[in-house]
């Protein structure tokens, strides 16, 4: 099995290639909003280092959102293009679930409420709990909430960029971010069980009905 995992939903870019048991390649570019310039060269570098091509992939996993609108769109578009061109199945992974998985990997947290800053005085939010396979699983529903309702929706330890927006004292784990390795960890279980979808199902999830608002409307400086 060869699984390609892509993560661009958080305004950074990372690419991972894994097999059944190990990571074969990982590259992270932390520059904000450089995904369009870096993702394809990073994928090619991974192929070259492992002496494989797109045709050798078992599946492509990607962070399907919620997250940065442009980042989520890039992730889905690249995944669809590669999958369609090579008849490869896809595995969409929640950005919030990947964030929860990162919290387990980085801080050994087993019950978390993942929160991402959604701008416009709102956050993306959901809670997760570790299962017997060491995969963080959703225990409620992914939602887009204002800060007040988000505080009421919290179940476990807050993690992610929106933590302090929900609770000003929740700063311990706000720097945790997900990477393609977290996407790969989650998707590997699906790939081993052939739980995947056709290329046309590589669709982004925004949670916000109007994802096309201009920057001034998003409350950004």
């Amino acid at each position: 099995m060869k699984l390609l995992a892509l993560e661009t939903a958080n305004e950074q870019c990372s690419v991972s290639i894994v097999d059944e048991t190990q990571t074969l390649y990982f590259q992270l570019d932390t520059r904000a909003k450089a995904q369009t310039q870096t993702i394809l060269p990073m994928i090619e570098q991974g192929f070259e280092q492992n002496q494989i091509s797109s045709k050798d992939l078992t599946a492509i996993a990607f962070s399907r959102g919620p997250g940065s609108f442009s980042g989520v769109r890039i992730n889905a578009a690249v995944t669809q293009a590669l999958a369609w061109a090579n008849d490869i199945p896809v595995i969409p992974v929640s950005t919030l679930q990947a964030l929860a998985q990162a919290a387990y990997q980085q801080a050994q947290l087993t019950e978390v409420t993942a929160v991402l800053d959604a701008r416009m005085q709102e956050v993306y939010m959901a809670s997760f709990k570790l299962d017997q396979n060491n995969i963080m699983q959703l225990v409620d529903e992914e939602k887009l909430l204002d800060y007040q309702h988000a505080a009421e929706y919290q179940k476990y330890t807050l993690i992610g960029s929106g933590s302090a927006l929900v609770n000003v004292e929740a700063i311990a784990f706000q720097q945790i971010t997900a990477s393609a390795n977290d996407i790969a960890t989650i998707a590997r279980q699906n790939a081993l069980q052939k739980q995947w979808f056709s290329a046309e199902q590589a669709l982004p999830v925004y949670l916000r009905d109007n994802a096309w608002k201009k920057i001034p409307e998003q409350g950004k400086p």
Side-chain angles (χ1 to χ4, degrees):
M1 182 189 81
K2 296 289 189 300
L3 174 70
L4 172 67
L6 310 176
E7 169 29 56
T8 65
N10 292 301
E11 298 187 352
Q12 297 179 353
C13 183
S14 58
V15 173
S16 179
I17 300 174
V18 303
D19 63 13
E20 292 87 346
T21 60
Q22 63 183 332
T23 300
L24 305 175
Y25 169 82
F26 175 70
Q27 188 76 345
L28 170 68
D29 189 325
T30 59
R31 294 176 298 165
K33 301 181 180 179
Q35 304 102 316
T36 53
Q37 290 80 33
T38 58
I39 188 168
L40 292 178
M42 288 165 66
I43 292 171
E44 287 302 318
Q45 183 183 54
F47 288 166
E48 290 176 7
Q49 287 189 13
N50 287 277
Q51 297 183 329
I52 63 174
S53 69
S54 299
K55 296 180 180 179
D56 298 311
L57 296 175
T58 306
I60 303 173
F62 71 104
S63 182
R64 49 85 165 156
S68 159
F69 172 64
S70 58
V72 171
R73 186 173 55 176
I74 291 166
N75 232 15
V78 172
T79 299
Q80 271 198 349
L82 289 173
W84 261 325
N86 299 281
D87 194 24
I88 302 168
V90 301
I91 303 174
V93 175
S94 162
T95 307
L96 292 171
Q97 185 184 14
L99 179 59
Q101 195 67 35
Y104 171 64
Q105 292 298 120
Q106 298 174 29
Q108 292 73 57
L109 298 175
T110 59
E111 296 180 337
V112 300
T113 296
V115 192
L116 289 173
D117 184 0
R119 311 295 183 179
M120 294 186 278
Q121 307 297 309
E122 294 175 318
V123 293
Y124 302 119
M125 188 173 186
S127 294
F128 299 84
K129 188 173 182 178
L130 197 71
D131 70 7
Q132 67 275 14
N133 295 315
N134 290 330
I135 301 297
M136 286 293 210
Q137 300 292 351
L138 185 69
V139 299
D140 48 22
E141 181 181 352
E142 295 185 353
K143 290 190 175 184
L144 175 66
L145 300 168
D146 61 37
Y147 299 162
Q148 178 180 345
H149 288 94
E152 297 169 357
Y153 199 54
Q154 177 188 353
K155 288 183 175 64
Y156 307 128
T157 302
L158 292 172
I159 63 163
S161 62
S163 298
L165 299 175
V166 176
N167 183 340
V168 293
E169 297 181 355
I171 61 174
F173 303 109
Q174 68 175 347
Q175 299 303 320
I176 290 178
T177 58
S179 74
N181 273 345
D182 302 301
I183 299 294
T185 297
I186 295 168
R188 179 190 278 126
Q189 299 293 322
N190 298 82
L192 290 172
Q193 299 173 35
K194 296 184 178 181
Q195 295 178 347
W196 47 44
F197 302 91
S198 55
E200 60 266 23
Q201 296 301 309
L203 301 174
V205 172
Y206 299 119
L207 293 187
R208 176 172 283 138
D209 292 334
N210 184 359
W212 291 90
K213 288 194 175 182
K214 299 176 182 179
I215 287 178
E217 296 175 307
Q218 296 178 7
K220 297 181 182 180

